[in-house]
Amino acid sequence: MDAPELVQFSAVAIILLLLFFYGGTFLVSLRIGRKNENADNFMTAGNQVGFGISAASMTATWIWASSMYASATSGYTYGISGPIHYGLWGALMILFIYPFGRRIRALAPRAHTLAEIMYARHGRSSQLMLAGSNVVGSLISLMSNFIAGGVLISLLSPLNFIQGVLVIAGGVLLYTLWSGFRASVLTDVIQLLGMLGAVVVLIPIVFFAAGFPAAFETGAANLTPAQGNFFSSEAFFNQGAPYIAAVLAYAIGNQTIAQRLFAVREDLIKPTFVTAAVGYGATVIGIGMFGVLALYLGLDPLDGDVNNLIPQIAGTYLPAVLVALFFLLVLGALSSTADSDLAALSSIVMTDGYGHTVAGREGADPRRMLLVGRATMVVATALAVAFASMRLNILDLLVFVGALWGALVFPVIASFYWNKVSNKAFTVATIAAVAAFLPVRFGWLPTDGASGFVIDVTAVVGVGVVLGLMAFGFFGLRVARIVGVVAIAITAPFGIGFLHDYATLSGSLVAYAVSTVVCFAMSVRNTESFDFATIEDRVGDFDRQAHVDDLDDDRPARGAAPARP
């Protein structure tokens, strides 16, 4: 099929669109800015954000341009089940974290980062390991969004990729620098409304303009048997299963989720996370179908880069006016996540770097913290721009980070429930899991013979750990043990001798298994018991005078709804 020519904007037109979007968000951030900014509000907006803003912000943060591009890549690579395997498990990631989120929030109602709580629970090494992993993850996320923006601008205008990356980075930094997390969540609401409206309009138009539903018959020959099978094992083991394993890892390892967990009112955590899960899943799966449409149409990605698929389809089958709307849709998606990454990075450096490590909680100067936070945003933006110039595959980056975070999941969750887990057990378990993950993930070990058998057996244990942890959040320890044992018993007969063929999946499962076994073995005989009630006393506001002022103004108690007039 001969595809129409790609729509191209002039340099003036693309600059006007960018000015319209980033100028508008900057004006919003100016209106909500405060002359005397509060360090705690800069990080968590006072822990009292309501349902609508929280749910919209959570949804917008996770409907990022990278997830759109990666979902379309999954559809193009694995066929009709690809976007399901991407979007469904991503939605479950948000859903599965909320039971743990309620526990974390109850223990530390005024926390800013998960690493800060680990410092109160264990000590320095656990804090720095969690903070370091969050910094790496947020930088990769920021970089991937800049890549998505650079690709979009270079395809639809005379500007090149690097110019596009610089414009996107400057625009996001402009409005986030002003009010931090508060600017991030409030602009998220506007960006989400625009994204949802654009999705409802654009997807049906592309569908019919590209010749569907007739193209389902004429293009069926372009699909391999695996791509045409909704229950494709290839799609499950290469895409779906690694994402199931990464579900909890993303939720635990990503500060953008934790920051919204600490910002929302305690009584609204459940509806916020459930609403965000539904919104994320529906939107990302819908966008991912662009990749499936390209497969049926027999389109080859421009320059062989699968990151080009979405803008290529939109620019090919939409009129210029709707391509402009599509441009704003992707701009909103990538900006909503990029500003969240900047806010997350600044909170980590402000809290875990300056607040607890350099100055100490009692000696921290809130005004200096704000300076540290804003400087962090500038440095992080510069680093992400430099890394974005490498144009790495976005889907590969996301899968790698999710698998790496698997090493932290059990030690972190166990630390919030089991008073026997020590700092030494946390640290050794995490290091051992990362050491086991890397050679399996990158194929540094032979997979035939004894080493392949060991990888498979360990990965099977990892299956039990993942499903057991998911069950634990909702049903408690007894059900979790049963689910874990049954999962191992069912998986072992076919998984041993087979799982090592899927490096991404087996690497992630090995990380889960090793961290769990080591952490449990080092903790079970520990004679010391931790008192969880002490965490709240060790984690709290840095800007204590502002907190007193808030209380004097009849601020609602933690977790309580505001009084009605």
Side-chain angles (χ1 to χ4, degrees), residues 50-310:
F51 168 71
I53 292 177
S54 293
S57 178
M58 179 71 77
T59 308
T61 296
W62 284 97
I63 303 176
W64 49 334
S66 300
S67 66
M68 290 181 172
Y69 284 25
S71 183
T73 299
S74 186
Y76 187 78
T77 306
Y78 302 114
I80 55 179
S81 64
I84 308 290
H85 283 303
Y86 187 93
L88 179 61
W89 307 127
L92 287 180
M93 170 194 66
I94 302 171
L95 191 62
F96 273 102
I97 192 60
Y98 98 77
F100 300 115
R102 294 172 70 176
R103 168 70 174 173
I104 294 169
R105 186 68 184 273
L107 292 176
R110 301 192 72 82
H112 309 86
T113 68
L114 281 180
E116 177 186 24
I117 307 176
M118 282 300 104
Y119 175 66
R121 171 69 176 87
H122 291 307
R124 187 71 66 201
S125 62
S126 302
Q127 176 201 22
L128 294 181
M129 292 179 74
L130 192 54
S133 71
N134 278 200
V135 168
V136 172
S138 291
L139 267 178
I140 289 178
S141 171
L142 191 60
M143 174 189 66
S144 65
N145 278 288
F146 290 168
I147 291 175
V151 167
L152 180 69
I153 291 176
S154 63
L155 278 182
L156 300 180
S157 78
L159 301 181
N160 62 35
F161 172 77
I162 295 298
Q163 289 170 328
V165 168
L166 290 172
V167 169
I168 296 294
V172 172
L173 181 63
L174 178 69
Y175 71 85
T176 312
L177 195 65
W178 193 255
S179 298
F181 180 73
R182 201 169 55 251
S184 173
V185 294
L186 289 180
T187 54
D188 281 349
V189 176
I190 301 169
Q191 290 160 354
L192 177 66
L193 292 175
M195 281 191 287
L196 294 180
V199 166
V200 169
V201 173
L202 298 182
I203 292 179
I205 292 177
V206 168
F207 184 81
F208 290 109
F212 289 91
F216 282 130
E217 292 186 10
T218 58
N222 296 325
L223 278 67
T224 65
Q227 289 171 328
N229 182 3
F230 187 78
F231 300 100
S232 165
S233 60
E234 183 179 341
F236 177 76
F237 284 109
N238 283 303
Q239 176 68 66
Y243 260 57
I244 295 173
V247 160
L248 290 173
Y250 266 105
I252 292 297
N254 197 301
Q255 170 65 12
T256 59
I257 282 189
Q259 202 162 14
R260 280 151 183 78
L261 167 67
F262 298 132
V264 66
R265 271 180 23 211
E266 283 186 58
D267 58 319
L268 298 177
I269 290 177
K270 180 178 179 180
T272 294
F273 278 65
V274 171
T275 303
V278 173
Y280 170 88
T283 306
V284 170
I285 290 172
I287 289 288
M289 289 301 167
F290 274 22
V292 180
L293 300 185
L295 202 57
Y296 274 95
L297 293 169
L299 289 181
D300 293 322
L302 284 175
D303 303 325
D305 187 349
V306 289
N307 292 335
N308 290 337
L309 273 174
I310 288 184

Side-chain angles (χ1 to χ4, degrees), residues 136 140 243 250 394-406 437-438 441-442 504 508:
V136 172
I140 289 178
Y243 260 57
Y250 266 105
I394 292 174
L395 184 57
D396 287 346
L397 287 174
L398 299 182
V399 171
F400 172 73
V401 172
L404 187 61
W405 277 334
F437 161 77
L438 291 174
R441 171 62 183 85
F442 293 104
T504 302
S508 180

